[in-house]
Amino acid sequence: MARELNEVAPGVLVGVSRNYSTTTTVLASGSEALVIDAAWMPDELEGLGEELAGRGLAVVGGFSTHAHHDHLLWHPSLGDAPRWAAPNTARIAQEERETLVSFLGPDFPPDLVELMGRVRAVDGEIPETSVPAGFAPEIVAHDGHAPGHAGLWLANRRVLVAGDMLSDVELPLPFYPDDLPAYLVALDLLAPKVAEAEVVIPGHGSPGTDAQARLDADRRYLDDVIADRIPDDPRLGNPGMREEYEHLKQIVERSR
């Protein structure tokens, strides 16, 4: 199926999957594109390649924000450009490949299974050959939500590609084995970028101009749960979030 991409800042295109509102971000300039977190369903991945080709864009690189199966995908229509990730993400994608593949389910096309997680480690900056002209994405690495998680900060666009952080539909989800302190540190690390951001792109949900409000909401929610207060957060009504709230309460209780 065709993949609709919306421009949220100059040269920054975002598509949202029907599955968990997973976002794909494309940095486009001239005839080149960098694809961040290609997702999700096989027909959507194929449609993404068709859409980019229709725009006259050749993919020169890929980037995965973290080592969860829905952020490690790729499609032959996107070509064979190098795909990058922070070192811990690349390591986990290799060492835990069997488990990550199992989350795709038995009906996922074998050729796409083979492409999942084939990322190379990069520390500091994505190589220039994988980045379209006019972009200089800064890797913002932390361990919130997943070990080795990395957002991308586009200073000259004032855009924060946040990975699975700062979502308008998902509550904060500390990573297994329930490292709540790492999540709190990650929010502090993101805060200076958030203060400058005009657009934030979460891994699930919708791009928004409310980065600071999202950061504040995440901190308020975590503070409430840690203090054993009932949070007043509309995201609790979204699918699966009540269960995540109960899980977080158990994490906090065990840490006391």
Side-chain angles (χ1 to χ4, degrees):
M1 64 181 291
R3 185 63 179 274
E4 182 180 3
L5 295 174
N6 296 310
E7 191 169 36
V8 300
V12 182
L13 313 174
V14 178
V16 181
S17 171
R18 66 180 182 272
N19 203 12
Y20 304 118
S21 297
T22 312
T23 61
T24 297
T25 301
V26 177
L27 309 185
S29 175
S31 62
E32 296 182 335
L34 169 67
V35 177
I36 304 164
D37 287 347
W40 186 163
M41 304 306 294
D43 62 319
E44 293 177 318
L45 290 166
E46 183 176 9
L48 174 63
E50 292 173 351
E51 172 70 14
L52 296 180
R55 291 172 178 255
L57 294 169
V59 177
V60 295
F63 187 82
S64 289
T65 57
H66 58 290
H68 287 166
H69 64 286
D70 52 334
H71 296 267
L72 291 168
L73 298 167
W74 202 250
H75 193 275
S77 66
L78 298 173
D80 58 0
R83 298 154 56 193
W84 306 97
N88 266 348
T89 293
R91 176 185 59 79
I92 294 168
Q94 179 178 1
E95 294 179 357
E96 300 183 13
R97 177 173 177 78
E98 184 175 344
T99 298
L100 290 166
V101 165
S102 71
F103 284 113
L104 295 176
D107 297 327
F108 214 76
D111 59 332
L112 302 191
V113 171
E114 174 58 30
L115 288 173
M116 194 207 78
R118 303 302 189 186
V119 292
R120 309 179 190 181
V122 61
D123 196 3
E125 296 181 354
I126 302 172
E128 289 184 3
T129 53
S130 293
V131 180
F135 288 96
E138 175 188 345
I139 298 174
V140 185
H142 55 77
D143 288 323
H145 182 72
H149 192 295
L152 293 178
W153 170 240
L154 311 177
N156 62 351
R157 303 295 200 278
R158 297 181 70 179
V159 172
L160 177 61
V161 184
D164 278 6
M165 306 282 289
L166 306 175
S167 173
D168 57 330
V169 298
E170 286 189 343
L171 295 164
L173 305 176
F175 76 80
Y176 179 85
D178 305 328
D179 196 340
L180 177 57
Y183 205 101
L184 296 171
V185 169
L187 291 178
D188 288 343
L189 184 66
L190 290 172
K193 310 302 184 188
V194 165
E196 296 184 43
E198 292 184 354
V199 177
V200 60
I201 304 169
H204 299 274
S206 302
T209 58
D210 57 344
Q212 188 63 56
R214 295 187 187 196
L215 178 68
D216 293 344
D218 283 354
R219 282 177 165 164
R220 186 165 55 250
Y221 168 77
L222 293 172
D223 287 346
D224 283 343
V225 178
I226 292 169
D228 199 23
R229 296 188 297 263
I230 298 175
D232 180 19
D233 193 306
R235 293 173 294 180
L236 279 165
N238 294 337
M241 291 301 102
R242 180 64 60 172
E243 293 81 358
E244 293 295 342
Y245 166 54
E246 295 297 332
H247 177 61
L248 182 58
K249 288 201 300 183
Q250 294 175 9
I251 296 171
V252 172
E253 183 62 30
R254 285 200 301 267
S255 69
R256 290 192 171 115

